[in-house]
Amino acid sequence: MKVSLNWLNQYFDQNIDKDVLVKKFNLMSQEVAGLNKLIDIDGLVIGHVKSLKKHEDADKLSVCLVDVGDEELQIICGAPNVAADQKVIVAKVGVVLSGNFRLKKAKIRGVESNGMICSLAELGIQEFDNEEKGIYVLGFDAIPGEDPIKYLHLDDYVLDLDLTANRSDLLSIRGVAYDTACMMNLNLDLAEPRVTRETSENPVSIFTQTKNSTVYYGQTLENVEIKDSPYWLKSRLLACGIRPINNVVDITNYVMLEYGQPLHAFDYDKIQSDRIIVREALENETILTLDGEKRKLVAGDIVITDGKKPIALAGVMGGLETEIDDSTKRILLESAIFNPVKIRKTASRLNLKSESSSRFEKGVDPYQTLEALNYACELLAEYANAIVVGLPSYYNTVKIKNKIINLSLEKLNSVTGYSYSEEIVEDILKRLRFKFKLKGDNFKVSIPSRRPMESYQDLIEEIVRIHGYDKIPLTIPITPTQGGLNRKQKTKRAIRNYFVGRGFTETKTYSLASQEAAIKFDQSTTKAIRIMNPLTKEREYLRHSLLPSLLNVLVYNKSRKIENIMIFELANAYFEDNEIEKLAILMHGKLDFSTWQKQDQSVDFYHLKGLLETLLKQLKVPDYIISVSPKELPNLHPGISAILSVKGKVIGFLGKLHPEEEHEIGIKDVYVCELSLNELLNLSDENTHLYQEITKYPSIKRDIAVLVKNDITAEDIISSINKTSKKILNSIDIFDVYFDKTLSNKKSIALTLEFLSSNRTLETKEVDNQIDKILENLKLDLNAELRS
Amino acid sequence: MEQKLKKITSLATEAIKNCKTINELLDIKAMYLGKKSEFNDLMQDLKNLSSDQKPLFGKIINEAKQEISALIDEQKQIIDSQKINDLLKSQTIDISLPGKNLALGHKHILTKTIEEIEDVFVGLGYEIKEGPEIETDLYNFEMLNLPKDHPAREMQDSFYITEDLLLRTHTSPVQVRSLLENAAQKPLKIICPGVVYRKDDDDLTHSHQFMQIEALVVDEKATLADLKGTLLLVAKKLFGENREIRLRPSYFPFTEPSVEVDVSCFKCNGSGCPMCKNTGWIEILGAGMVNNNVLKAAGYDPMKFQGFALGMGIERVAMLKHGIEDIRLLYTNDLRFNSQF
Ligand SMILES: [Zn+2]
């Protein structure tokens, strides 16, 4: 809301200190977005064009002799409308015009020019007069040498308030004045409008066929003379951000600004009947609005009709057919209340947000409808020569309700934690101009319709803000509670710490993705969830996997010459029935490398597998299995990928990116992993770990190397060994895998077997026996031969 | 005999002192103290002495032997330590060469900021509560005193999935869920961190996805003063011990009264600088006393219960603390950025 300070000052017997006003608004009411001069140009003077002649070398230029009070200046002017004897706005040499343009002494085709005769555009206020054709010509009463800004009543400041949704009362200058008076503890001078009415009867009758308009006053006025508004009125509209049009339209806008009540003026002679009927629009009904657009209406829009067809879109925009124009003689002035929700829907559907609609949307005080209308009548009589014809026709279904809110001093103090005294509260309520009765410690406050309030909480807010938030003491809640992280939160921190400790950098990527990316790496068959109103196609679906985002991060960084990329992310994936928190990992390049020591092992599948296994051990996930997937994993290399299962349930996958994928992004050797954190937590061991006794007896280690066919896996060998030797075999460690042409389709795998007993020292013979059995079974199960 | 002894001793002493290796030393030892050594010869000569001289000379010879033996031990130590010194010297490396590049990882700055805020509140006895990002209109709006046609809904343009399902626009629905879960209506002190969404085009200061943390206290006597004290404590923990706070009126449908909270500028200490736009204050969060309609919707009797809530944008806190001017940097994941924290 933009507020003219001149206008605001009108309500007080003294001019308000603008710096204090800004401070008060900021701390007690609404944030001030700015306080600026309406026209920030110094040194303009009124000039009188004494004489003018054509420039000898340029017939479009005039050489003017201008009296500026204390001197006469020769000024060259290119405006076609410049004429002798005009009063004009002169910028002398040295004046800085809008756009930071400093005026210099100039020679134009050999003739000196000592300043400039200004147009409104050069002052930055072209809207002040839309009739202007070149330079702006002042009235004859303008006195040369005086300040033209003052003459035009443009010597004003604009207070720009950022309004919150609960303070629609500040959408009017009167509302701002109420708040100012309260905050600054000033007397408020609110005059009632004075209207002289002709005794003849108002010819129009008003009806409604919808509950969405509770109040409608229609006043006819005759003998209207359409012309420019006086300077002061135009200036105030301009300060408040509204472009002046003509006296009738300007007055409706002016009254709207003052009261917050939007008005509309129809050309009464253009209305086809004497009956105004307010109703809901019919489906597909049309109206030509003031802006020349043909608008298709829907049921739910509210329209003002002449009994047959719509003549205005209620609260949003008038109709072109009944528009005020220069020949208008009789007008119908409307002051009404419409349903805020309906207005909002219509205005936003038609993209027609206006000063009027935005006020109706936020709710207009229904008790000021008539007063605003009367004030407009007063102004129209004065500035448009209008004759007010009788009393307005109207309907008004608003029931007079006196809203009472009770607030006890005890409640106030127990909510705020401050000890307000009766005197403080009384003083603030008086300043707010709320009527109240005090009974015991209870304030019975009647809430004026200009400040809609719901409960005592709203009253508390008023008291606290006016008394000052700085007075509230500083304490801490005394109720004892136990805080802390739950198991999932602790685990998430542990996982993050683990990866950071392992050299991984955490990423944060967007949940919304393109349709294609949302279902990449996806094993579920469900569709990705779609946003009804997405910003872009790239952010239209909720992702099933975090990996496409991590691939984007890889590509982004790789193209910036970052070679080693180890990243992870914890975030949600979204499915029809639930959200799953996932952990995603991506590895590419070298980990723990040292250039000069030639330690530069690139990461591979086994890095990723080891990383994952160590995490699972740290999280005490029991019985996990990393195995070949029974079906191909989407977007992964079929031969270099696996699934992770815990207690028989698949909770994730890991592997190398499919060569096609690698080709697409132009990066090779990318390893990824993704698993469900929810499942991991469900399946991991929650119980306190019990200590296991460390054996006192020595272990015996034996190395064996077996020759097997290439398609036999390490897992096959290990399970055969485990099956054979259950009791005393403590660990199996593969220490060499060897392929050679001479082995022809076979490979050699070397293992260290460690035997241990928890209750005795093992004998060599016993171990030898075990080894024999193991080898025997390996031969039997896998056709494995001992390699000597 | 005495002279002979002296001569042997001095010869032996010299030989030992010049000796450089353990092998030589062993030879010397054999030569002077062994079975065929000159001392042995002297011992043989001892037999020829009178019985009153025998003990005297015997003692002298033994002393000489002990002296030589001690010298040998001493020399052995010298040789050993020399050997170790030589070995150490030969093993000396250039310690100025770069150390091995042990991989260093980094938590995301948003994670770090959240954990920092969480820790402050956990220390004050708050529990951490989380909830779904896809929310119902009921929890995201209606139960927070934002009925269907409330004008304030426009403040939060949302991503809808169906008419009644949307990406949550704040973490407040977690507060609603927590109030409902707390069927026994015990005193509640929670914080709700999480990802939220608003339909804004991404630019310097807007992101369609961002993170929030909200706190909620509901019991029978939590006051506005308690809110203010908590806010000051949080501001000091996050922005430094010398910080002050300032409350200004604001509006949120779910709190009444509502306030914006400014912290005194930590760059200029309140004297005014570009960071605080010369006001000395920086807006960091919104807060207020829980609106009775929210309590009622969750089944709490507003005549018995009251409380406060506060909420802040994690991005804003992180950006202020670390001087980050473009919010998009937080989601670009340029590793040269992510690895700075
Ligand atoms: Zn500052």
Side-chain angles (χ1 to χ4, degrees), chain A residues 20-38:
Chain A
V20 176
L21 185 70
V22 167
K23 205 174 161 194
K24 296 268 180 193
F25 261 104
N26 271 328
L27 292 179
M28 300 165 117
S29 182
Q30 302 281 288
E31 198 168 332
V32 176
L35 177 81
N36 300 303
K37 266 187 165 172
L38 179 55

Side-chain angles (χ1 to χ4, degrees), chain B residues 264-282:
Chain B
S264 58
C265 180
F266 41 87
K267 207 160 191 180
C268 64
N269 267 322
S271 61
C273 73
M275 180 153 182
C276 57
K277 292 173 198 137
N278 283 313
T279 61
W281 296 94
I282 296 173

